[in-house]
């Protein structure tokens, strides 16, 4: 397999965008990624495949099929072969994996990964029902019982609440720690003009907010977001010809969950990604991870091998995971503050890492990082996620 | 890229299967493909990726996301990294393309493509509405007007009716010819124990049946079907180790439609597939094509370069496309008689070709074919399909 670079990245602002359309969001992100790469869409120079990620437009916008072809039919890249991919909240990074494979294999010289989602609806119950459709419908009562689903809220927050409770028992982490994650990420998000939330929270505020499930309160949970993100990958010589300021895409690994297995998914995917990248956890300077709920950030850092078991809490308390700390985590604000438009999230993480590695992250720049890691997870197979990806980028 | 073989194929019977589940159908097809390859699922010998194709389980079964992970969670292949792909009625062959790429690139030594669909519901209106969700929802009124959609039926039959009318004007084909396609495929289907329909039709019967749209009557149109199909691809040396009776997967090309373009999609995909395969139209001995409506079979044969423009009708009338003819087309019965469970269709075509090439097609065996071609199309981008694939297999 040959080397692949991220040649250009782009994203829309994330948030509540009732007047936007799926195609409008997709177009903005794609145009921005192409421009970033110095790529001239008109001549389709080497761009041979597009992978499009979306999770819920079937239930929320009635757009069930060939979603990407429709969303991109009025852009410069219309007519490039396109495959729609889906892996729940890990769909965006799954699209990136396929784009990487297309270029790494030599099949095409450039490929585009695009993720788009519109979650906001006037009918919150509809959106929550749509989220439940991610669970195994053939055994739904069993799965809801397994989750201890409180009902009325997002079943995924029941999932994270259970994981949080286990983590508290195992490590001595407290609700205050989960609030600290939310506070840190709100501070990071306040530096990100594309983030859904810009207000800095306090620990007291987070703890006093409306409870969601178990130890979780509203600001500890990712919001419902609209948005799109796009990543253009290419063979290094092609990216150079465009004049792109590229970063190396060292690994994108899609890991698989297995029913009944807990805590196997991420460690295996991370191991495989580090092996593919030829670097280790100690080489990672900045992380974007799937903090769909605050405790997940701590759990994930340990499962990825970036913190020793039980030590993510100390890293958080010491400020190591803040911008300016030893290992900044979610400088973008993470899912909690940047927002979480499902299919776009995994690609937005890569947008952030590419900007950090190129020193373009403005007020949230974390020094001069040489390598970054993104983790993106999706679905529920009980008691863990159904899929997860680990992506490693470097200068 | 290295050589890839189809090491094993499997499918369920297609038809109305109200008591089946998505996971039950998927399991049957997968088990059968693994057994055909002599592959022992228990040791996951080289099987590194699964691509899962489904189009409408979101709207019809409420299963919107990580569909493959759920459908396969109780099979021998649970826990293998899985990516859900979608390209409307071309989803199955799109999954095959990705499986091919995974093995051809050397990323993994074996990959599985699985397609599953349950279209039958007690509420026919619900199923037809679900099919309409395949159109561009952001410009639906415009698209429906463009299709001259009669309403009440499948919008796709309005699409095929328009194409049929154009074809009649261009070539002098008649409604009788379209009926002849349906009659031929019903005769082929009567030889296929897995086909949805086993009754042989007559031209008079087809012409006298209930009109659907334009020149089309019910037996000229693919039915609503439930079913699953699976194709296991592998590196040749691995397939040999399993003792598989494999066939070579010479090309799988995903073509892209472009709004406003007519008749470009398939010729370009076919050209690219023949180039990749290193053989030409004259080398093809058997064809499975996307006869979602009878006239499409004629149009497609010409667009693929398998018949000269305007000559598919003569080939049909002469019996060349019947089993026993010079170029048998849809020996399985095609979408019209075998059935059309959307996500499974493209893989069922490959199941048929693999069986034909290995001399295992029983009463519908077409001699000793050396090479076969499958064509699968999906979606509508106006005035053509949104995606299409061309697959070439050989001994």
């Amino acid at each position: 397999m040959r080397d692949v670079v991220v040649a250009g990245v782009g994203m829309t602002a994330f948030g509540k965008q009732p007047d936007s359309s799926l195609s409008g969001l997709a177009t903005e992100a794609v145009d921005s990624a192409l421009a970033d790469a110095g790529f001239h869409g008109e001549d389709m120079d080497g761009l041979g495949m597009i992978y499009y990620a979306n999770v819920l437009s079937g239930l929320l916008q009635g757009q069930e099929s060939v979603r990407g072809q429709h969303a991109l039919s009025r852009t410069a890249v219309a007519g490039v072969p396109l495959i729609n991919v889906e892996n729940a909240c890990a769909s965006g990074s799954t699209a990136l994996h396929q784009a990487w494979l297309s270029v790494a294999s030599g099949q095409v010289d450039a490929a585009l990964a695009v993720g788009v989602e519109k979650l906001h609806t006037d009918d919150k119950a509809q959106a929550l029902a749509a989220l439940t459709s991610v669970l195994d419908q053939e055994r739904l009562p069993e799965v809801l019982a397994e989750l201890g689903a409180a009902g009325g809220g997002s079943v995924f927050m029941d999932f994270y609440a259970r994981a949080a409770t286990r983590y508290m028992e195992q490590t001595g982490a407290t609700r205050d720690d989960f609030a600290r994650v939310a506070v840190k990420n709100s501070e990071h998000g306040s530096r990100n003009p594309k983030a859904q939330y810009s207000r800095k929270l306090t620990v007291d505020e987070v703890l006093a907010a409306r409870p969601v499930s178990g130890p979780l309160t509203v600001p500890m949970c990712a919001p419902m977001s609209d948005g799109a993100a796009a990543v253009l990958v290419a063979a290094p010589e092609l990216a150079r010809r465009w004049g792109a300021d590229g970063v190396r895409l060292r690994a994108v690994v899609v890991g698989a969950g297995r029913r009944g297995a807990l805590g196997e998914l991420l460690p295996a995917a991370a191991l495989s990604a580090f092996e593919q990248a030829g670097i280790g956890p100690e080489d990672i300077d900045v992380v974007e991870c799937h903090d769909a709920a605050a405790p997940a950030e701590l759990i994930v850092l340990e499962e990825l091998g970036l913190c020793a078991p039980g030590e993510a809490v100390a890293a958080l308390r010491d400020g190591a995971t803040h911008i300016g700390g030893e290992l900044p985590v979610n400088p973008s604000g993470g899912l909690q503050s940047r927002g979480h438009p499902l299919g776009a999230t995994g690609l937005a993480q890569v947008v952030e890492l590419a900007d950090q590695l190129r020193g373009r992250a403005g007020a949230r720049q974390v020094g001069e990082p040489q390598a970054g890691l993104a983790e993106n997870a999706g679905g529920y197979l009980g008691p863990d996620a159904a899929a997860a990806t680990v992506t490693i980028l470097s200068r």
Side-chain angles (χ1 to χ4, degrees), chain A:
Chain A
M1 302 268 209
R2 65 175 166 176
D3 285 348
V4 176
V5 299
V6 169
V9 299
M11 65 182 279
T12 66
F14 282 7
K16 196 172 182 170
Q17 305 189 26
D19 299 330
S20 66
S21 62
L22 291 163
S23 66
L25 292 168
T27 302
E28 183 185 337
V30 167
D31 285 351
S32 156
L34 297 179
D36 182 32
F39 174 88
H40 303 291
E42 300 73 29
D43 61 8
M44 297 291 135
D45 186 15
L47 180 60
M49 283 302 302
I50 300 175
Y51 293 92
Y52 183 88
N54 168 270
V55 184
L56 290 178
S57 79
L59 296 181
L60 295 180
Q61 285 87 35
Q63 185 66 66
E64 187 59 40
S65 177
V66 286
R67 306 171 187 196
Q69 283 90 340
H70 293 318
L72 300 178
S73 70
R74 284 147 279 175
T75 67
V77 299
V80 174
L82 186 150
I83 294 176
N84 298 278
V85 301
E86 204 278 344
N87 257 345
C89 300
S91 295
S93 53
T94 295
L96 182 67
H97 174 269
Q98 296 305 109
W100 163 79
L101 181 59
S102 292
V103 176
S105 66
Q107 189 199 17
V108 299
D109 288 329
L112 186 61
V114 186
V116 186
E117 204 80 43
K118 275 186 66 65
L119 285 187
H120 266 296
T121 69
D122 290 335
D123 182 356
K124 184 107 192 260
Q126 185 201 12
L128 291 172
L131 281 173
T132 305
S133 75
V134 173
L135 303 178
D136 188 343
Q137 298 300 305
E138 292 182 8
R139 29 197 311 285
L140 194 55
E142 188 187 334
V143 172
L144 290 175
E146 182 178 297
L147 283 167
S154 158
V155 290
F156 279 96
M157 292 309 141
D158 298 321
F159 164 51
Y160 284 110
R162 282 179 105 78
T165 304
R166 271 196 306 266
Y167 186 73
M168 290 165 89
E169 288 163 8
Q170 286 165 356
T171 64
T174 64
R175 282 184 77 224
D176 284 27
D177 293 316
F178 302 155
R180 281 187 193 101
V181 173
V183 166
K184 168 182 76 72
N185 288 344
S186 75
E187 200 281 322
H188 291 178
S190 74
R191 311 186 192 200
N192 183 354
K194 296 205 165 157
Q196 182 156 357
Y197 296 124
S198 57
R199 203 167 68 76
K200 294 184 224 176
L201 303 171
T202 66
V203 168
D204 287 347
E205 227 176 343
V206 174
L207 291 172
R210 184 167 63 77
V212 173
S213 183
L216 307 179
T217 64
V218 166
M220 295 181 196
C221 302
M224 298 285 207
S225 317
D226 304 332
V231 174
L232 179 67
V233 298
E237 57 279 14
L238 184 59
R240 269 194 300 275
R241 206 168 76 212
W242 297 336
D245 180 15
V247 299
R248 295 176 64 192
L249 181 53
R250 304 282 288 263
V252 202
V253 169
V254 176
R258 204 162 45 79
R259 171 153 281 283
L262 180 64
E264 287 179 4
L265 172 57
L266 267 190
L271 208 65
S272 169
F274 282 122
E275 192 185 320
Q276 191 178 320
I279 63 175
E282 66 284 1
D283 297 312
I284 300 299
D285 300 316
V286 55
V287 175
E288 284 280 315
C289 75
H290 198 81
D291 61 327
E297 180 173 301
L298 303 169
I299 297 169
V300 157
L301 288 176
E302 298 177 11
E303 292 191 341
L304 291 168
L306 295 168
C307 290
E311 295 191 3
V313 174
L316 171 74
R317 290 181 189 162
D318 296 348
T321 57
H322 287 57
I323 291 174
E326 205 182 315
L327 182 67
V329 176
N330 287 320
S332 69
L335 281 63
Q336 293 167 77
S337 289
R338 182 192 56 223
H340 181 27
L342 317 183
T345 287
L347 293 167
Q349 294 177 325
V350 172
V351 173
E352 178 69 15
L353 291 182
D355 281 343
Q356 290 285 353
L357 291 169
R358 299 183 299 179
R360 298 186 186 183
R364 60 190 193 286
Q365 182 65 39
V366 301
E368 296 181 357
Q370 296 302 302
L373 180 147
E375 175 269 337
N376 188 204
Y380 175 75
L381 215 54
D384 214 335
T389 66
V390 176
T391 302
I392 297 175
L393 301 169
S394 75
R395 286 303 315 176

